[in-house]
Amino acid sequence: MTRSVPRWRYDVTDLVRQARDGQARAVARLITLVESNDPVLPRIATELAPHTGHALVVGLTGAPGVGKSTTTSELVRVLRERGRRIGVLAVDPSSPFTGGAILGDRVRMQEHATDPGVYIRSMSSRGHLGGLAAATPAAVRVLDGVGCDVVLIETVGVGQAEVEVAGLADTTVVLLAPGMGDAIQAVKAGILEIADVFVVNKADRDGADATVRDLNGMIGLGTRAPGQWRPPVVRAVATSGDGIDGLVTAIERHHDWLAGHGELTTRRARRAAAEVEAIALGALRNRISALRGGTRLAGLAAEVLAGRLDPYAAAGRLIADLVDLADPAGLADPADPGRGPVGRGPAISG
Ligand SMILES: Nc1nc2c(ncn2[C@@H]2O[C@H](COP(=O)(O)OP(=O)(O)O)[C@@H](O)[C@H]2O)c(=O)[nH]1
Ligand SMILES: [Mg+2]
């Protein structure tokens, strides 16, 4: 199969340069391409690769209404005052929605909308190859690669998916508020394990002291080897900005600790592994669906149903079909068919 060099091959180079030059529209376009799982993604990733690894990635998670968006917006303000370029991603693992739905209605976020040093995006995972597990790191990669110093990821909703997304960050900030989703609930949700920094937000409300106390008690119960990081508890009133400087300090301390203990590399390697795995699994799933014009899986299922094949044997045949293909993962660079991005030899045609 021969293909002419697609026009986007040039366009992507241009787009990445514009984005790196700080053109917000080019950054937005790149993230849109990530969201829509565009076929040019591998090329974008190739172009960005030499420029990545600089950004500090901070995940913010917590129950709806706890103040994540308000806190994120205040973090942006403080970090902008320090001259940093910031990327913000609001991610919803559960419900598909169109861009802008989460942050667009946040008046406080809007005040950053015209600042050329801030990129703000809502993201859904709908239709993305590999789901959110691939889409989020890919978007982080874009923001990192175009020159953001800090990338803030706000995850929406409560559940395993958001815990996972937050866990992709260098530093995970877990927000709680008095009177809602107290410390005990956080433990139940498995959130205590992923938190590097706790924020007790809405400290202007009754019960903040009790929440801080409970939380510190809970943190103290955890077994921790000497020299291990102990998550600090920061009190904040995000609506007034109180405590946000302290939160920035806590995040910076955690970053220093990570870097000083080799943990930054460990976490980033884990993130990269999760990203690669998600891309590979997504690609495999797509190829399985596409086998024999989309009929292979249904055909095998019919065989299983009729008792002519057991599911293991059927799965074996699917895998055998896949490895027969020239490019099982479907990731080879279409502009350069001889060189798959995974560095295999020339593709076998047939
Ligand atoms: N009293 C008080 N309200 C707050 C505080 N932080 C946020 N809020 C309010 O809580 C509501 C939810 O905040 P939001 O940032 O959207 O929460 P999210 O769902 O976690 O992103 C909004 O009405 C905020 O104005 C705070 O520190 N104190
Ligand atoms: Mg929010």
Side-chain angles (χ1 to χ4, degrees):
M1 183 167 58
T2 52
R3 288 184 215 178
S4 58
V5 174
R7 203 172 51 85
W8 50 254
R9 190 166 200 199
Y10 170 76
D11 288 343
V12 165
T13 307
D14 228 29
L15 194 59
V16 168
R17 192 176 48 240
Q18 287 165 3
R20 287 186 45 75
D21 283 349
Q23 295 185 29
R25 271 216 291 184
V27 178
R29 175 108 182 86
L30 286 176
I31 295 178
T32 301
L33 292 171
V34 166
E35 271 190 309
S36 60
N37 191 25
D38 194 281
V40 306
L41 278 191
R43 293 243 29 116
I44 293 172
T46 305
E47 299 266 349
L48 288 174
H51 309 293
T52 53
H54 165 74
L56 173 64
V57 182
V58 179
L60 292 101
T61 190
V66 74
K68 296 180 295 296
S69 295
T70 314
T71 300
T72 300
S73 184
E74 284 302 297
L75 279 175
V76 170
R77 185 182 56 74
V78 170
L79 291 166
R80 284 301 290 149
E81 282 167 9
R82 301 181 186 189
R84 313 276 170 79
R85 278 177 79 186
I86 318 293
V88 180
L89 294 173
V91 175
D92 190 338
S94 48
S95 67
F97 61 91
T98 50
I102 296 293
L103 289 173
D105 59 350
R106 295 275 171 258
V107 174
R108 291 180 149 260
M109 270 300 167
Q110 296 276 14
E111 80 193 30
H112 302 299
T114 54
D115 180 345
V118 185
Y119 307 103
I120 301 169
R121 279 298 287 255
S122 296
M123 278 193 61
S124 69
S125 60
R126 186 163 51 179
H128 193 280
L129 178 79
L132 202 64
T136 308
V140 169
R141 185 174 292 284
V142 166
L143 292 169
D144 182 12
V146 302
C148 287
D149 302 300
V150 181
V151 177
L152 304 172
I153 309 171
E154 178 190 340
T155 52
V156 181
V158 273
Q160 198 51 43
E162 90 168 338
V163 167
E164 275 169 26
V165 169
L168 293 171
D170 297 323
T171 298
T172 299
V173 177
V174 172
L175 289 93
L176 300 166
M180 57 172 288
D182 62 7
I184 310 281
Q185 301 250 251
V187 176
K188 281 192 192 146
I191 254 170
L192 210 58
E193 289 83 47
I194 63 152
D196 299 307
V197 175
F198 282 101
V199 173
V200 174
N201 190 41
K202 307 196 181 184
D204 53 328
R205 293 203 174 157
D206 288 347
D209 288 338
T211 305
V212 170
R213 202 181 326 113
D214 287 353
L215 206 47
N216 272 317
M218 221 95 64
I219 293 163
L221 288 178
T223 47
R224 206 169 283 109
Q228 282 299 97
W229 176 255
R230 186 189 203 276
V233 179
V234 178
R235 298 169 62 110
V237 182
T239 37
S240 70
D242 282 359
I244 302 298
D245 277 311
L247 175 55
V248 171
T249 303
I251 292 168
E252 284 173 345
R253 283 213 185 112
H254 181 248
H255 177 259
D256 291 345
W257 183 88
L258 287 174
H261 289 74
E263 267 288 318
L264 197 59
T265 309
T266 306
R267 286 191 180 201
R268 290 180 174 186
R270 199 160 62 209
R271 188 158 82 219
E275 186 180 5
V276 171
E277 187 185 39
I279 292 169
L281 290 176
L284 284 175
R285 198 173 294 121
N286 284 355
R287 294 303 289 223
I288 286 174
S289 312
L291 276 173
R292 297 198 190 164
T295 64
R296 182 54 164 156
L297 182 54
L300 287 167
E303 296 287 294
V304 170
L305 203 59
R308 284 191 291 273
L309 212 56
D310 70 82
Y312 294 90
R317 291 196 188 180
L318 267 188
I319 290 167
D321 281 2
L322 284 178
V323 297
D324 278 349
L325 296 176
D327 175 27
L331 293 170
D333 182 349
D336 185 7
R339 185 195 65 93
V342 287
R344 283 175 285 110
I348 307 147
S349 56

